[in-house]
């Protein structure tokens, strides 16, 4: 009975990333709970392989199953980043509730999206660092918060000390972690130049478009003030 249950858990762990990718564009709950699906997938894989005596005994099979699962999670994560950026751009170029409220709210939502897009790759890749670190020969225990901070040190060139310096040595000695790190940097720079650049361009255009209106209002107020003065002088 335990063996059957463990195989079901392994199968679910392999299927969950595929389900998350398939239904993320269709249902809001899948988009919001995407990281939960990935964490659940890894948890099911770990528990399933631990409870399955046959898989635990065959170490090579255990590694193959984990490689398949983590590859699915990695590809799913890359798709999630792409989909989030695409959805964010579609949101700001189309008419949304914030734009109806006025120029200040339109600027606010665009400025608010900038740090979210900057942090998005490090948030996603922190999970990938932690997941692939499980299979690394020089595995170093690193928590979710530390993995996220490590991702920020990679992208923003923050000096690394202690645990983060040790983990960097582990990354340097593992080819898969090196590929993950290079992909992390490339995607982060792509978002900075393309997505953030597009948002900043929109902010600049909105400010420029609003400046003539302010100038016209000042001219109109001055003209009205001048007419009022002439009216008072006559009477």
């Amino acid at each position: 009975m335990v063996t059957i249950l463990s195989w079901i858990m392994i199968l679910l762990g392999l299927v969950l990333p595929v389900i998350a990718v398939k239904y993320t564009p269709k249902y809001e709950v899948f988009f919001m709970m995407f990281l939960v699906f990935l964490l659940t997938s890894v948890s099911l894989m770990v528990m399933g392989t631990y409870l399955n005596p046959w898989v635990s005994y065959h170490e090579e099979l255990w590694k193959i199953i984990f490689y398949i699962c983590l590859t699915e999670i990695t590809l799913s994560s890359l798709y999630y980043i792409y989909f989030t950026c695409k959805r964010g751009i579609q949101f700001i170029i189309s008419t949304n509730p914030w734009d109806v409220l006025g120029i200040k709210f339109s600027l606010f939502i665009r400025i608010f999206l900038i740090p979210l897009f900057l942090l998005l790759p490090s948030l996603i890749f922190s999970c990938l660092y932690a997941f692939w670190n499980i299979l690394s020969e020089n595995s170093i225990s690193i928590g979710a918060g530390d993995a996220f901070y490590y991702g920020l040190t990679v992208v923003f060139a923050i000096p690394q000390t202690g645990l983060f310096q040790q983990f960097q040595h582990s990354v340097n000695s593992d080819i898969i972690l090196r590929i993950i790190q290079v992909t992390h940097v490339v995607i982060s720079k792509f978002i900075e130049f393309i997505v953030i650049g597009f948002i900043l361009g929109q902010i600049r255009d909105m400010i420029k478009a609003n400046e003539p209106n302010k100038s016209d209002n000042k001219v109109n107020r001055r003209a009205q003030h001048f007419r009022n003065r002439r009216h008072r002088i006559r009477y």
Side-chain angles (χ1 to χ4, degrees), residues 102-122:
I103 182 67
K104 292 182 179 180
F105 292 94
S106 296
L107 289 173
F108 169 79
I109 191 60
R110 285 159 176 78
I111 294 172
F112 178 75
L113 286 174
I114 291 175
L116 293 184
F117 280 121
L118 287 175
L119 296 177
L120 175 65
S122 295

Side-chain angles (χ1 to χ4, degrees), residues 6 9-10 43-57 61-62 65-66:
S6 64
M9 295 172 71
I10 292 173
S43 300
L44 289 172
M45 289 294 301
V46 172
M47 290 187 292
T49 53
Y50 177 78
L51 295 174
N52 193 309
W54 193 81
V55 175
S56 301
Y57 181 76
L61 178 61
W62 178 85
I65 292 175
F66 256 91

Side-chain angles (χ1 to χ4, degrees), residues 49-218:
T49 53
Y50 177 78
L51 295 174
N52 193 309
W54 193 81
V55 175
S56 301
Y57 181 76
H58 297 80
E59 185 177 350
E60 291 300 321
L61 178 61
W62 178 85
K63 286 186 177 181
I64 291 173
I65 292 175
F66 256 91
Y67 273 117
I68 294 173
C69 179
L70 293 182
T71 301
E72 288 181 343
I73 290 175
T74 302
L75 296 177
S76 301
S77 300
L78 296 179
Y79 171 78
Y80 182 76
I81 294 174
Y82 160 76
F83 180 77
T84 303
C85 293
K86 177 183 176 182
R87 185 171 181 176
I89 292 176
Q90 288 176 342
F91 175 79
I92 61 177
I93 64 176
S94 60
T95 304
N96 58 74
W98 293 88
D99 292 336
V100 177
L101 297 176
I103 182 67
K104 292 182 179 180
F105 292 94
S106 296
L107 289 173
F108 169 79
I109 191 60
R110 285 159 176 78
I111 294 172
F112 178 75
L113 286 174
I114 291 175
L116 293 184
F117 280 121
L118 287 175
L119 296 177
L120 175 65
S122 295
L123 177 63
I124 299 298
F125 276 88
S126 64
C127 298
L128 298 182
Y129 286 126
F131 293 159
W132 282 105
N133 184 50
I134 298 174
L135 298 177
S136 176
E137 295 182 357
N138 301 317
S139 178
I140 295 177
S141 178
I142 186 169
D146 290 334
F148 177 64
Y149 179 78
Y150 170 78
L152 295 178
T153 65
V154 171
V155 175
F156 299 107
I158 302 174
Q160 298 174 346
T161 58
L163 172 65
F164 307 105
Q165 197 171 37
Q166 296 175 14
F167 188 74
Q168 182 60 54
H169 290 315
S170 177
V171 171
N172 293 338
S173 61
D174 189 279
I175 185 170
I176 294 180
L177 287 175
R178 289 202 301 270
I179 294 174
I180 294 294
Q181 187 175 73
V182 171
T183 307
H184 178 198
V185 174
V186 170
I187 290 179
S188 297
K189 296 305 177 184
F190 178 83
I191 290 177
E192 287 180 24
F193 289 119
I194 304 300
V195 180
I196 303 300
F198 176 79
I199 297 176
L200 291 176
Q202 270 213 332
I203 293 174
R204 181 198 59 194
D205 293 340
M206 292 175 67
I207 293 175
K208 285 186 176 181
N210 193 49
E211 285 178 353
N213 295 332
K214 290 183 178 180
S215 300
D216 292 341
N217 291 336
K218 288 181 179 179

